[in-house]
Amino acid sequence: MFRLAVFFCVLILGMENGVLPGAAEIEYWKWIGVVLCLASALMSKGKGQQADPLSLLVLTGCALADLFLLFTRQWETGIAGFCLVQLCLSFSLISREQTLQLCLILGGLFFIAGLLLKLPEMICLVMFYAIQTSFNLIAALRMLTHTFLLKSAADKLGKNPSELQPPSADIRFRFWTAMGTVLLALCDLNVVLFQLGGPLAAAGGWIWPFYLPALLCFAHAAR
């Protein structure tokens, strides 16, 4: 199923860029691709264990959020779905309890402050989402940097990285989750640039090329 999801995502990117026909119904194909990533995570099993529940929540949140963003005008609900995604990523990546608490408190305070100031719900959700994304991106970059430094040290010593730090399912899970988090942040950056319009609207063509690989990373983390 995971290979099918990869193949389907490649087809969608081809349609998105006009290489393949089917652009007229691209929203439906996109959502099917998201659902396939979720299905691949649901069906994945490793050493007798079920798929990781946090990865499943991330992919489920993405599927529900895209359902509202692609086919309805209930964009607040879609953004709320992605806020759930970022919360799940926080619990996956941020290991220090105090840092996670700070992340949740700041995001919640900004959200409540926005409501008290009677700002639109969309603005409040975006503020919460931006704070969660910032914390998660920092944690993801630290994780990837640690992995890179570990590999560099192993190369200098002529050893396998596993000899310096034994591989575990948790480390692999956090690595692929970190990769997906960085790609999702790049997707969000292009969404912001696209919304600004003008010459920056061309960034809209890079939203899904970052988003779909992010979903595949989350699906692989579940494995």
Side-chain angles (χ1 to χ4, degrees):
M1 179 61 74
F2 181 75
R3 292 179 180 177
L4 177 61
V6 173
F7 176 73
F8 205 84
C9 289
V10 171
L11 291 180
I12 293 172
L13 293 179
M15 286 186 262
E16 176 81 356
N17 294 281
V19 178
L20 298 172
E25 299 178 348
I26 187 66
E27 286 79 10
Y28 297 97
W29 293 114
K30 286 177 179 177
W31 194 69
I32 291 174
V34 175
V35 172
L36 276 177
C37 290
L38 172 60
S40 68
L42 286 170
M43 296 177 64
S44 64
K45 294 182 180 180
K47 297 181 180 180
Q49 296 180 349
Q50 297 293 334
D52 181 79
L54 284 174
S55 296
L56 293 180
L57 283 175
V58 167
L59 290 167
T60 301
C62 289
L64 293 176
D66 286 327
L67 183 63
F68 287 98
L69 292 175
L70 290 173
F71 304 113
T72 73
R73 292 186 176 273
Q74 299 180 33
W75 294 314
E76 292 86 354
T77 306
I79 298 299
F82 278 112
C83 287
L84 171 63
V85 169
Q86 291 296 335
L87 282 172
C88 293
L89 292 176
S90 295
F91 283 99
S92 300
L93 292 169
I94 302 176
S95 57
R96 294 182 181 180
E97 184 178 351
Q98 292 182 346
T99 305
L100 179 57
Q101 290 176 351
L102 176 63
C103 171
L104 298 177
I105 290 172
L106 285 178
L109 287 177
F110 271 84
F111 182 80
I112 294 172
L115 293 178
L116 293 176
L117 294 173
K118 296 183 178 181
L119 296 177
E121 291 182 2
M122 177 70 81
I123 300 298
C124 299
L125 288 169
V126 168
M127 287 193 301
F128 181 85
Y129 185 82
I131 292 174
Q132 292 294 132
T133 301
S134 299
F135 274 93
N136 292 339
L137 182 60
I138 292 172
L141 291 175
R142 285 179 177 175
M143 176 65 184
L144 295 176
T145 301
H146 172 74
T147 303
F148 174 77
L149 292 177
L150 184 66
K151 185 178 184 305
S152 298
D155 291 340
K156 291 180 180 179
L157 295 174
K159 296 182 178 180
N160 190 297
S162 61
E163 296 180 27
L164 298 180
Q165 181 172 326
S168 67
D170 180 65
I171 294 175
R172 292 193 296 271
F173 163 74
R174 286 167 59 84
F175 173 79
W176 285 108
T177 303
M179 285 290 295
T181 301
V182 173
L183 291 171
L184 185 59
L186 291 173
C187 166
D188 293 333
L189 175 62
N190 283 280
V191 170
V192 172
L193 295 177
F194 174 73
Q195 293 297 329
L196 293 176
L200 298 176
W206 288 96
I207 294 175
W208 284 84
F210 283 117
Y211 182 55
L212 288 175
L215 295 182
L216 291 174
C217 286
F218 296 141
H220 194 60
R223 297 159 61 88

